[in-house]
Amino acid sequence: MIADGVEDEEKWLSAGIAGLQQNAFYMHRALDSNNLKDALKYSAQMLSELRTSRLSPHKYYELYMRAFDELRKLEIFFKEETSRGCSIVELYELVQHAGNILPRLYLLCTVGSVYIKSKEAPAKDVLKDLVEMCRGIQHPLRGLFLRSYLSQVSRDKLPDIGSEYEGDADTVMDAVEFVIQNFTEMNKLWVRMQQQGPAREKEKRGKERSELRDLVGKNLHVLSQIEGVDLEMYKEIVLPRVLEQVVNCKDDLAQYYLMDCIIQVFPDEYHLQTLETLLNACPQLQASVDVKTVLARLMERLSNYAASGAEVLPEFFQVEAFAKLNNAIGKVIEAQENMPIAGVVTLYASLLTFTLQVHPDRLDYVDQILGACVKKLSGREKLDDSKATKQIVALLSAPLEKYKDIDTALKLSNYPRIMEYLSDGTHKEMANVIVQNIMKNKTCISTAEKVDALFELIKGLIRDLDGDSQDELDEDFIEEQNYVARLIQMLHSDDPEEMLKIIQTVRKHILTGGRKRLPYTVPPLIFSSLKLVRRLEGQDESVSGDEASTTPKKIFQLVTQTIEALTSIPVPELALGLYLQCAEAANDCDLEPVAYEFFTQAYILYEEEITDSKTQVTSIHLIIGTLQRMHVFGVENRDALTHKATGYSAKLLKKPDQCRAVYACSHLFWLDDHDSIRDGERVLLCLKRALRIANAVQQMSNATRGSSGSALLFIEILNKYLYFYEKGVSQVTVESIQDLIKLIRNEMQGETSPSDPAADAFLASTLRYIQFQKDKGGAVGDKYKLIIV
Amino acid sequence: MPSRRRALLKVIILGDSGVGKTSLMNQYVNKKFSNQYKATIGADFLTKEVHFEDRLFTLQIWDTAGQERFQSLGVAFYRGADCCVLVYDVNVMKSFDNLNNWREEFLIQASPTDPENFPFVVIGNKTDVDGGNSRVVSEKKARAWCASKGNIPYFETSAKEGTNVEEAFQIIAKNALKNGEEEEIYLPDTIDVGSSSQQRSTGCEC
Ligand SMILES: Nc1nc2c(ncn2[C@@H]2O[C@H](COP(=O)(O)OP(=O)(O)O)[C@@H](O)[C@H]2O)c(=O)[nH]1
Ligand SMILES: [Mg+2]
C-alpha cells in the first residue's frame, strides 16, 4: 500500500501535513481557552495523521516531527492543567478514551511524561505501564516511531542515580530494564518488517529498514548515557541482554548494525573488560553478516584508545587483548571459507595496527600476524584484486611508519614472504614506499646482510621482474632510479671491511639491473667505493697489510670491473668520467700504475667510443683538467699522457675547439705547486700553436665569408699569456704580450672586422686588469708596469 | 496565545563527531562530564529551563550524531529550530574547516524563512587539552570566519572544565528567543475539519 512514486508520496505527505496543521490550529485554540475536552479531541485527530501507511520512513519522519512539536505544547498545557488542580491520574485515564489506539498511545505517553514529573507515582511504574501499552501497535513503522517517542519523552525522566526521579536501591536497574525492554520490542518490530509484504519488494524493504535503523540503535545510546550503568552492570546485565537480542533475532541487517552500535556507543574500557563476551558473539551471527568490518571497527576503536596515552596500556595487557583478538580473527576467517582475500587482509591489517599501538615492543606478534597472512595467501596466484592490494600495502606500510626504521622490518621473517604475493606493479609501489621511508628517516643500514635483505625486498626497483620490460625511460622510472642512487649513497659502515662487503653486495644486485638502470646505479656505487678508498688512504699500511683485509688495490679492481659493466650499454662519456674520478683517487693513494691504467681506459674510450664531436670537446677538457691535478706520475708516464692529450686537442674537428683545447693544454706543463713540472718552453709552444690556429680561423673566415671573425680567441689567448707571465714563465715575454695586444687591436679595427660587443668588453676588462695589477705595486705591480699598452 | 509557543526554544547542535557536542550538552544541562567517548546515534535532545527577562523558557537542545552512518533518518528535526550551534575542536583543523559545510547543510535542510539573519553561535571546544599547547585553530582565525558569516557570536569552551559553557548557552538562548518571536502563524483555509483524516487513513484498526 506504499505509494508508487516519489510524486505520490509528496502528495500524501502534503495532505498529511495539511490535516495535521488544521487540527493543530484548533488544538491551539482549545489550549488557549483552557478547553481540555477540545484539546484532546483535536490532538487525537491531529495524531490520526500518523496512522498512514503511505509514506516511506523518511517522509513519515517529517510528519512525525511536526506532530512531535505540537505535542510539546500539549505537554505544557497538561502541566498547567495539573497546577490548576486537575488530577494527573484522572488525565492519564481521560486520554485513554481517544477512539484510535495510535493517537491514544501518543497522548498517553505525553501525559505519562507529566505524570512522572509530578512524582505522584514512581517513575518506574509509569514507564512500565507505558512500555507495555505500546505493544498495542504491531505495525512496524508506526510502532517504531511510537516507541521512539516514548523513549524520547522519558529520556530525562529515567530513575537514574542522581536523577530527581531516583527511587529505591534498584533504581538504575529499573531504568535499564525499561530501556532494554523498549529496545527489544523495537528490534522485533524492525526485524519483522523484513518478513512482511510481497517477496518482490524485498529490496525496497531492506532500504526502508535501513532508514529506520537509528530508531532502534538509539536505545543503545540511551543505555550508554545512563549514569548508573557501571562496568559491573554492563558486564553482568546490559551487554548479555543486548547481545542475546542481537544474536537471537537472526537478522543480518540488524546484527551488523547493532554490533557496530554497541562498539561505538559504549566506552573503550568496557569493551576491553568484556572483550571475550563481545567476540564470542561474532561466530554466532548469521553467515551473511560482514563480521570482518565489525571486528575491524572494534580494533580501530581500541587502537585509538591505546594511542590516547601510555597509561591505558596496562588495561590491554591485563585482559590479554591481543591474544583474544587474534584468536577471534582466526576463528572468523576459518568459519567463513569464502571470505574474499581482501577481507582477510583487512582484518589482519586492523589487527596489526592495533598491535603496533598496544605492543610496539612485540615484534614476534607482528611477525605472527604477517605469517598468518602468508598462510592465507599461499597457494594463490599473485594478487590482482585492487582492494586486496591496497590493504596489503597498508599492512606492509604500518610497521615502517611505526618503527620509522627499515631495520626493524628486516627482522620480520614474514615480511619479504608477503611481498612475494604482490603483483609486479604493486611490488614496485611497495618497494618505493620502503625506499622513501629510509630517505625520510635517514635510516643507516650498516651490514652487508641487511643490505642484501633490503635489496632483495626492493628488487622491483633493482631489476626487471618477469614480464615488465618496457623500454622507454619515463619520468617515474627516472625518479625511482634516482631514489635507488640516493639509497646506495646512504649505506654506510664504519668498519671498512664491512663497507667493502656492502659494496660487493650492492654490486651483485645492481649488475642484474640491465642497461636501463646501470647508468643510474653504477655512479653512486663507484663514488661510494672511492669514498672508502679515501677513508683507507689515511691508514697505516701495516694495519691493513694482510691478505684478506680491505686495501685500496682490491677496491680499485672491483671498481674497474663495475665500470666495465657500462661498456655494453654503451655510455662511454659516463664511463670516461668515472675512470678519471678513479684515477684521481688512485693518485691520492700514490698508486701510479693504477692511476695510469685508469687513464689508459679513459683514453681508449675516447679513441674508440667517443665519436660525437661535442662530446669529444667536453671529454677532452675533463681529461686535461684531471691530468693537471695528477702528481703521482713519473716523467715518462706523464709525458705519454700529456702527449696524447695535446694530440687529441689538436685533432678536434672545429678550429675554435682545437684552439681552446690546445691553450688549455699549456697548463699541463706548469704546475704552481710542483717544482718538477715547470716547462716554460712547452707552455709557450702550446700558446703559439693556439695562436696559429686562431689565425687560421680568421683566414678561413675571410675566405668563406669575406670578413674576419671575432677576435675573441685572441683575447682568450692573451689572458693565458698574462697568467703565465705573472707566474714567472720567462719564455712569456713583455714583448710577446704587447705584440699580441697590438694584433688584437688591429683585428678589431680592421675594415672587414665585424662589431663584436662581447669581444670589446672582454678586451676592455683585460686591459683594466693589467692596469689594476700595475696599481697594486710591489713585485707584481713592477712586472706589469713593464707592459706598455 | 503566542506565549505558550514561545516558551519553548529549539536549539540544534552540529559539528564533526568527537568535537564535544554531547559533552557540552551534558555539561550545560546536567553539570556532568565524562572522559569516555560514547558515540551519539540519531538525534537526541535534553531540555533545560531558563529564566530570561523575568520569564521562564524551556530550551530544547538537540544533540546530533556527527557520523553519517548514525543519521539514517535524515534531519527532519532541524525544522523549526530557533538557533543553531556549530561546534569544532580547537585542536583539530578539519573540524574547523567543516563548519562551513555544517552551516550550509543546516540552511538548506532547515530552510529558515530568513536565512541571512538566522541565528548561529560558534563554539570552539576543548580549550583545556594539553594546557592549550595542542591547539591548531587560533581564536583570531575563528573570529575572522564568524565575522565573515554575518558576525556570528563566538565562544571558546571546555566542556570538561565547564569553562564558558553557561555563558555560551546564555547567548544561544537569547538569540533563539529573538528568532522565536518571528515565527509564522498558521491559518486554516477551511473551518470544517470533521473527518478528513479518517478518509485518508487506511483501514487498519490502530
Ligand atoms: N579534554 C576535553 N575533552 C573533551 C571536551 N569535550 C569533550 N571531550 C571528550 O571528547 C570526546 C568526544 O566528546 P563527545 O561529547 O562525545 O563528542 P561528540 O561526538 O561531538 O558528541 C569524549 O571522550 C569527551 O570526553 C573538552 O572540553 N575537553
Ligand atoms: Mg555525541
Side-chain angles (χ1 to χ4, degrees):
Chain A
M1 292 292 277
I2 291 168
D4 296 313
V6 180
E7 233 167 78
D8 281 345
E9 216 194 323
E10 282 297 340
K11 213 177 70 196
W12 292 121
L13 177 62
S14 313
I17 291 173
L20 191 140
Q21 283 181 326
Q22 210 161 32
N23 284 301
F25 173 81
Y26 290 105
M27 181 188 87
H28 296 160
R29 288 228 299 222
L31 299 186
D32 290 338
S33 52
N34 291 333
N35 184 337
L36 179 60
K37 190 164 150 282
D38 275 3
L40 291 180
K41 176 181 156 197
Y42 288 111
S43 58
Q45 278 183 24
M46 171 184 84
L47 289 164
S48 287
E49 296 297 339
L50 292 177
R51 295 170 64 218
T52 178
S53 299
R54 292 188 165 109
L55 298 176
S56 69
H58 255 104
K59 300 287 179 208
Y60 191 89
Y61 185 44
E62 271 184 49
L63 198 60
Y64 164 88
M65 271 318 300
R66 287 174 186 261
F68 184 94
D69 287 344
E70 295 302 337
L71 286 174
R72 303 281 63 70
K73 293 162 195 165
L74 190 64
E75 185 182 17
I76 295 174
F77 171 75
F78 286 154
K79 222 181 308 174
E80 288 166 358
E81 279 294 285
T82 56
S83 63
R84 279 193 288 267
C86 179
S87 150
I88 184 72
V89 185
E90 263 170 45
L91 254 181
Y92 197 70
E93 290 297 319
L94 200 59
V95 294
Q96 305 201 26
H97 293 300
N100 287 310
I101 180 165
L102 189 70
R104 194 195 311 154
L105 288 172
Y106 271 103
L107 289 175
L108 199 63
C109 290
T110 311
V111 180
S113 152
V114 181
Y115 195 179
I116 297 171
K117 270 198 175 156
S118 75
K119 298 183 188 157
E120 286 191 28
K124 75 164 193 184
D125 293 347
V126 181
L127 290 173
K128 199 167 160 54
D129 194 40
L130 291 173
V131 80
E132 292 288 340
M133 299 275 258
C134 286
R135 280 182 204 272
I137 304 296
Q138 287 297 320
H139 182 279
L141 182 78
R142 280 172 247 163
L144 281 168
F145 275 98
L146 172 67
R147 284 186 178 274
S148 127
Y149 181 72
L150 170 61
S151 162
Q152 185 65 69
V153 295
S154 60
R155 175 76 171 81
D156 52 357
K157 301 172 187 75
L158 296 177
D160 186 8
I161 292 180
S163 105
E164 51 178 311
Y165 309 103
E166 184 178 351
D168 51 26
D170 296 331
T171 190
V172 183
M173 213 30 247
D174 296 332
V176 168
E177 198 59 51
F178 165 74
V179 180
I180 291 184
Q181 194 180 345
N182 203 34
F183 162 72
T184 308
E185 295 298 330
M186 285 176 85
N187 193 41
K188 283 181 183 161
L189 287 170
W190 189 41
V191 170
R192 177 142 29 88
M193 198 172 166
Q194 189 71 49
Q195 288 130 27
Q196 287 178 350
R200 70 190 139 80
E201 285 181 355
K202 193 165 168 244
E203 197 175 312
K204 185 174 172 190
R205 267 199 309 277
K207 184 175 164 282
E208 294 193 347
R209 282 193 63 210
S210 185
E211 286 177 12
L212 289 165
R213 63 179 189 249
D214 286 346
L215 295 181
V216 185
K218 204 178 135 189
N219 289 293
L220 300 179
H221 162 72
V222 173
L223 273 176
S224 79
Q225 295 286 326
I226 295 178
E227 175 86 2
V229 176
D230 54 10
L231 177 60
E232 183 72 10
M233 184 174 290
Y234 177 75
K235 197 169 172 176
E236 300 301 328
I237 297 159
V238 175
L239 184 63
R241 292 273 302 273
V242 171
L243 282 179
E244 184 192 340
Q245 174 57 214
V246 173
V247 169
N248 289 344
C249 77
K250 297 199 185 322
D251 177 272
D252 55 357
L253 180 63
Q255 290 182 333
Y256 173 70
Y257 171 71
L258 292 173
M259 287 300 282
D260 191 20
C261 284
I262 293 173
I263 290 166
Q264 300 305 328
V265 300
F266 292 107
D268 305 283
E269 298 90 317
Y270 289 14
H271 292 319
L272 279 178
Q273 297 298 332
T274 57
L275 207 48
E276 212 150 4
T277 316
L278 193 60
L279 293 173
N280 280 342
C282 292
Q284 299 181 57
L285 304 178
Q286 302 300 105
S288 48
V289 173
D290 179 11
V291 183
K292 67 170 193 308
T293 304
V294 171
L295 286 176
R297 290 213 175 119
L298 173 64
M299 287 185 279
E300 186 190 332
R301 185 171 175 157
L302 292 178
S303 301
N304 289 340
Y305 181 52
S308 72
E311 69 278 2
V312 304
L313 292 183
E315 284 179 58
F316 287 83
F317 306 152
Q318 180 227 326
V319 303
E320 296 178 2
F322 171 77
K324 284 176 183 159
L325 288 167
N326 192 20
N327 185 23
I329 287 173
K331 275 191 187 148
V332 166
I333 291 174
E334 213 174 291
Q336 301 198 6
E337 278 171 20
N338 300 327
M339 188 188 291
I341 193 69
V344 175
V345 184
T346 307
L347 269 178
Y348 284 124
S350 312
L351 181 61
L352 189 72
T353 311
F354 171 87
T355 309
L356 291 171
Q357 200 62 258
V358 179
H359 300 285
D361 53 335
R362 295 299 300 258
L363 271 185
D364 55 331
Y365 285 176
V366 175
D367 209 22
Q368 197 180 325
I369 296 169
L370 296 178
C373 217
V374 170
K375 219 159 122 198
K376 288 309 282 185
L377 286 166
S378 66
R380 280 173 194 262
E381 297 286 296
K382 289 196 170 190
L383 287 174
D384 54 0
D385 166 356
S386 70
K387 215 171 140 202
T389 299
K390 217 174 121 210
Q391 288 297 332
I392 293 223
V393 171
L395 182 84
L396 292 173
S397 304
L400 298 180
E401 273 155 29
K402 176 70 188 182
Y403 297 115
K404 306 200 182 316
D405 175 7
I406 185 70
D407 247 26
T408 315
L410 291 174
K411 287 189 196 123
L412 301 166
S413 65
N414 286 306
Y415 200 95
R417 293 176 63 200
I418 293 199
M419 297 266 298
E420 291 302 314
Y421 291 96
L422 298 175
S423 69
D424 294 347
T426 317
H427 196 288
K428 223 156 106 176
E429 188 187 327
M430 196 56 227
N432 262 322
V433 171
I434 292 172
V435 174
Q436 310 259 0
N437 183 276
I438 296 173
M439 302 286 145
K440 204 171 95 199
N441 299 307
K442 302 196 169 60
T443 316
C444 179
I445 297 145
S446 54
T447 70
E449 201 190 332
K450 282 183 195 163
V451 170
D452 197 34
L454 173 65
F455 274 68
E456 193 49 45
L457 207 56
I458 61 167
K459 62 184 176 210
L461 298 178
I462 303 303
R463 57 175 181 261
D464 289 334
L465 301 175
D466 319 327
D468 81 333
S469 169
Q470 94 271 36
D471 243 358
E472 83 276 21
L473 302 177
D474 59 26
E475 249 171 63
D476 288 348
F477 178 81
I478 292 172
E479 198 186 332
E480 254 167 47
Q481 294 306 311
N482 281 331
Y483 272 118
V484 174
R486 278 176 66 188
L487 175 67
I488 293 172
Q489 303 258 31
M490 279 176 74
L491 308 172
H492 175 83
S493 166
D494 282 335
D495 172 15
E497 239 163 275
E498 191 62 36
M499 189 63 212
L500 181 59
K501 279 193 205 144
I502 290 179
I503 289 168
Q504 284 164 331
T505 309
V506 173
R507 182 170 178 274
K508 181 185 81 186
H509 283 277
I510 64 166
L511 286 187
T512 62
R515 47 196 314 231
K516 280 191 306 176
R517 294 186 180 81
L518 287 174
Y520 296 93
T521 49
V522 167
L525 185 63
I526 300 300
F527 283 108
S528 184
S529 308
L530 297 183
K531 219 155 74 187
L532 178 60
V533 167
R534 295 215 149 85
R535 195 148 35 111
L536 293 171
E537 182 202 322
Q539 276 179 14
D540 196 340
E541 269 297 313
S542 62
V543 177
S544 52
D546 69 283
E547 269 299 287
S549 80
T550 311
T551 62
K553 263 195 193 135
K554 212 159 146 188
I555 300 170
F556 280 126
Q557 280 165 15
L558 191 70
V559 158
T560 308
Q561 291 161 10
T562 311
I563 300 176
E564 272 166 10
L566 293 175
T567 47
S568 63
I569 299 181
V571 275
E573 195 188 358
L574 177 63
L576 180 133
L578 291 174
Y579 279 132
L580 292 175
Q581 289 283 344
C582 293
E584 243 188 299
N587 177 71
D588 297 346
C589 294
D590 274 330
L591 295 171
E592 184 180 7
V594 178
Y596 191 81
E597 176 59 22
F598 281 125
F599 256 95
T600 311
Q601 293 300 333
Y603 280 12
I604 292 173
L605 283 176
Y606 183 83
E607 286 177 10
E608 293 178 0
E609 306 281 340
I610 298 181
T611 48
D612 169 65
S613 60
K614 251 201 192 128
T615 316
Q616 282 177 346
V617 174
T618 49
S619 298
I620 194 69
H621 282 281
L622 212 55
I623 289 173
I624 296 168
T626 310
L627 191 51
Q628 195 215 353
R629 288 192 293 272
M630 305 297 285
H631 54 68
V632 74
F633 292 131
V635 181
E636 232 168 86
N637 281 341
R638 192 174 173 87
D639 269 356
L641 293 174
T642 45
H643 182 73
K644 275 277 181 193
T646 43
Y648 297 154
S649 303
K651 284 194 208 85
L652 289 171
L653 178 65
K654 293 187 191 157
K655 292 270 171 194
D657 289 338
Q658 271 178 24
C659 173
R660 290 188 170 106
V662 167
Y663 73 61
C665 282
S666 64
H667 287 287
L668 296 176
F669 303 105
W670 192 278
L671 292 194
D672 244 3
D673 45 4
H674 262 269
D675 297 341
S676 61
I677 308 172
R678 297 214 166 155
D679 187 345
E681 285 297 334
R682 294 176 73 178
V683 168
L684 191 62
L685 268 174
C686 286
L687 296 182
K688 281 189 165 164
R689 193 161 177 188
L691 271 177
R692 270 206 307 280
I693 302 170
N695 258 322
V697 172
Q698 289 297 52
Q699 278 161 18
M700 248 166 64
S701 178
N702 274 324
T704 54
R705 292 202 198 99
S707 68
S708 54
S710 160
L712 218 49
L713 282 173
F714 290 111
I715 307 171
E716 287 171 31
I717 297 168
L718 170 61
N719 274 275
K720 290 293 162 193
Y721 267 83
L722 288 173
Y723 172 84
F724 287 110
Y725 175 70
E726 199 176 315
K727 293 289 175 199
V729 179
S730 59
Q731 285 81 353
V732 177
T733 60
V734 177
E735 292 74 35
S736 61
I737 293 175
Q738 288 174 343
D739 286 349
L740 186 48
I741 295 175
K742 211 185 284 166
L743 174 99
I744 293 170
R745 285 190 168 140
N746 271 339
E747 285 290 328
M748 291 171 71
Q749 285 157 9
E751 268 169 33
T752 59
S753 48
S755 88
D756 182 351
D760 292 345
F762 193 13
L763 179 62
S765 69
T766 306
L767 296 177
R768 245 195 334 271
Y769 174 76
I770 295 173
Q771 188 57 46
F772 179 78
Q773 294 296 71
K774 281 183 181 175
D775 296 345
K776 235 183 189 171
V780 177
D782 288 346
K783 245 183 151 169
Y784 271 87
K785 279 202 186 107
L786 300 174
I787 305 173
I788 320 244
V789 288
Chain B
M1 161 164 139
S3 69
R4 182 170 293 116
R5 216 173 298 167
R6 250 189 295 138
L8 194 83
L9 299 172
K10 184 169 176 178
V11 175
I12 314 270
I13 309 181
L14 300 178
D16 283 4
S17 90
V19 297
K21 299 180 294 296
T22 306
S23 301
L24 281 166
M25 180 174 81
N26 276 335
Q27 177 62 258
Y28 177 61
V29 176
N30 299 322
K31 302 272 172 290
K32 279 178 189 163
F33 175 81
S34 157
N35 267 317
Q36 298 170 334
Y37 180 58
K38 308 169 186 174
T40 305
I41 293 184
D44 183 26
F45 77 76
L46 289 180
T47 55
K48 170 137 172 150
E49 314 248 283
V50 286
H51 282 279
F52 209 83
E53 288 165 358
D54 289 338
R55 279 167 55 197
L56 193 64
F57 296 95
T58 302
L59 268 192
Q60 193 184 69
I61 306 166
W62 287 78
D63 176 27
T64 58
Q67 285 156 294
E68 220 160 286
R69 74 176 198 273
F70 293 133
Q71 198 68 270
S72 67
L73 263 177
V75 292
F77 62 90
Y78 285 4
R79 210 190 68 90
D82 297 303
C83 179
C84 176
V85 184
L86 304 171
V87 186
Y88 76 95
D89 177 345
V90 297
N91 309 289
V92 181
M93 186 53 80
K94 183 118 195 15
S95 70
F96 176 75
D97 293 339
N98 276 340
L99 287 186
N100 208 33
N101 295 343
W102 285 113
R103 179 176 173 274
E104 276 171 15
E105 143 103 0
F106 176 83
L107 288 176
I108 290 167
Q109 300 290 341
S111 44
T113 39
D114 182 8
E116 296 288 299
N117 296 309
F118 185 86
F120 285 93
V121 170
V122 169
I123 290 183
N125 188 41
K126 303 203 193 180
T127 52
D128 63 287
V129 174
D130 199 12
N133 288 322
S134 59
R135 178 169 187 144
V136 293
V137 183
S138 70
E139 177 169 351
K140 196 171 149 219
K141 180 170 178 167
R143 284 197 186 279
W145 185 80
C146 290
S148 76
K149 298 293 168 188
N151 283 323
I152 302 179
Y154 176 69
F155 289 89
E156 300 212 328
T157 61
S158 160
K160 180 172 184 164
E161 284 162 7
T163 324
N164 232 4
V165 175
E166 190 68 39
E167 290 82 345
F169 275 94
Q170 280 282 319
I171 297 301
I172 291 165
K174 189 175 138 193
N175 289 354
L177 181 61
K178 244 191 283 169
N179 187 65
E181 278 162 356
E182 293 145 20
E183 201 177 311
E184 64 197 292
I185 293 185
Y186 170 82
L187 283 175
D189 35 39
T190 160
I191 300 296
D192 174 31
V193 292
S195 52
S196 59
S197 60
Q198 230 67 21
Q199 288 155 7
R200 268 196 313 278
S201 295
T202 58
C204 171
E205 77 282 4
C206 56

